Amino acid sequence: MPLETKKQVTYFHINNSVDIKTIDLGHSIDSRWNIEDNYPYYSLNFLLAGETILEIGNQQFTVLPNQFFLIPPNTPVHYYSKDNITQVEVYWINFYGKDCEELISLTNFSKHPILLLPMRIRASILSNFKEAINLCKHPHIQGIACKQLLSNIIKTLLLNSKLFIESAPKKKLTDFDKIITLINTHLFNPELNAKFICNQCYITSEHLSRLFKKNMNLHFSSYVNTERIKKASALLIDTDYPLVKIAELAGYGDVYYFCKIFKKYRLMTPTEYRKKYTD
């Protein structure tokens, strides 16, 4: 008699893509590390060498090699190398998006800003960073490389987290989606501001601020500047336009203000950025 054929299928229909956007990543070796800032996005750092003191609010933490530390958005922070440490080496990746807060809440970062990864997966994370940095030397695949890196890191953190939290699916935020669409439509218009959006959507500035805090954990201005600086960064690499033209195309009417904002988000001037990534 013929054997009975059995079939097994596992199938998932994915309704919503995860909203996380990468801003930049990098690798730094510094003899003296001393950074004080208030980032408008998440900054995830992987310490390779040296010992770092991390101050967030009134709390102080010691970060050791092979540890991650996460800096949340819009939070005053100070981190620096200890006096007796001659060299600090770190990889970092910066990101934002309305789904970041929920994903972070599923990892052990929800309890502590510092995370020591198991030895068996540290080499893999290090390899992911190195590969992404090499790929970012090619401007047209930088976004893909960064997203892949961040995806691998978050997946690793989730799989190795001791937290198993089941959260109810969120109701689709159609009103906020419409607001983001409106902002993106006028993103590179220098006249775009919170007042314009509020008038178009018949909401108060306080309500707009609450919507951004709830859905992206960002301020309205931080979102606009982040998207504009991403466009400006691409123009600096892909074109030979002067700074005045790039500022205009990115939505800044004042080139001096553009340079100030660019340095805040990229930690270097537009000229330095162009030289670094086009030489």
Side-chain angles (χ1 to χ4, degrees), residues 52-66:
T52 296
I53 304 301
L54 172 65
E55 295 178 352
I56 301 181
N58 297 321
Q59 293 184 292
Q60 185 179 93
F61 307 91
T62 299
V63 188
L64 300 174
N66 295 314

Side-chain angles (χ1 to χ4, degrees), residues 13-274:
H13 181 72
I14 310 302
N15 293 313
N16 298 306
S17 59
V18 176
D19 181 13
I20 295 184
K21 299 177 177 65
T22 56
I23 300 172
D24 51 40
L25 87 146
H27 175 225
S28 172
I29 300 176
D30 201 338
S31 58
R32 283 290 180 267
W33 212 26
N34 191 352
I35 299 176
E36 193 166 0
D37 216 321
N38 186 342
Y39 299 108
Y41 42 70
Y42 284 96
S43 182
L44 184 62
N45 302 263
F46 185 53
L47 193 66
L48 298 172
E51 187 172 331
T52 296
I53 304 301
L54 172 65
E55 295 178 352
I56 301 181
N58 297 321
Q59 293 184 292
Q60 185 179 93
F61 307 91
T62 299
V63 188
L64 300 174
N66 295 314
Q67 290 184 332
F68 269 120
F69 66 95
L70 179 69
I71 300 171
N74 304 311
T75 303
V77 64
H78 184 202
Y79 50 103
Y80 50 92
S81 57
K82 293 189 70 172
D83 292 340
N84 61 336
I85 300 299
T86 57
Q87 180 172 286
V88 171
E89 183 177 4
V90 64
Y91 282 109
W92 78 86
I93 183 166
N94 299 327
F95 58 95
Y96 73 97
K98 67 180 182 181
D99 292 325
C100 290
E101 188 172 9
E102 183 175 6
L103 282 174
I104 294 298
S105 73
L106 300 177
T107 73
N108 286 328
F109 276 127
S110 63
K111 299 187 295 184
H112 201 273
I114 300 170
L115 189 60
L116 176 63
L117 294 179
M119 185 67 73
R120 68 183 184 277
I121 60 176
R122 290 180 207 168
S124 174
I125 291 292
L126 185 58
S127 176
N128 289 160
F129 268 110
K130 289 180 177 178
E131 181 181 68
I133 291 225
N134 284 331
L135 289 173
C136 278
K137 294 175 183 176
H138 306 281
H140 299 296
I141 58 172
Q142 287 177 345
I144 297 173
C146 287
K147 283 187 177 182
Q148 185 63 49
L149 170 64
L150 187 58
S151 175
N152 287 340
I153 291 174
I154 290 177
K155 178 180 68 175
T156 299
L157 295 180
L158 290 174
L159 291 175
N160 287 274
S161 175
K162 294 180 180 178
L163 300 177
F164 298 92
I165 302 173
E166 292 185 5
S167 56
K170 286 186 174 181
K171 183 180 179 181
K172 187 176 181 181
L173 301 170
T174 54
D175 289 342
F176 186 71
D177 290 340
K178 291 176 182 178
I179 290 173
I180 290 296
T181 299
L182 179 63
I183 292 171
N184 290 340
T185 301
H186 298 275
L187 188 60
F188 305 117
N189 182 346
E191 302 300 319
L192 173 67
N193 55 33
K195 183 178 180 181
F196 170 80
I197 296 301
C198 291
N199 289 341
Q200 292 292 314
C201 299
Y202 303 101
I203 58 176
T204 65
S205 58
E206 291 78 10
H207 185 52
L208 179 66
S209 179
R210 285 194 296 270
L211 285 173
F212 264 90
K213 178 66 176 176
K214 177 180 179 181
N215 293 289
M216 284 192 170
N217 204 24
L218 282 174
H219 297 303
F220 166 83
S221 60
S222 296
Y223 173 78
V224 171
N225 281 324
T226 296
E227 293 301 308
R228 286 176 169 178
I229 295 303
K230 285 167 66 176
K231 179 178 178 66
S233 300
L235 289 171
L236 285 165
I237 294 173
D238 296 335
T239 75
D240 58 358
Y241 292 157
L243 293 187
V244 173
K245 180 67 173 178
I246 289 177
E248 178 187 344
L249 292 174
Y252 295 99
D254 185 336
V255 67
Y256 299 105
Y257 179 68
F258 160 67
C259 291
K260 178 182 177 181
I261 295 298
F262 190 95
K263 187 171 183 179
K264 176 181 178 181
Y265 280 73
R266 293 300 193 203
L267 304 180
M268 65 183 79
T269 66
T271 302
E272 290 169 340
Y273 185 89
R274 171 174 270 170

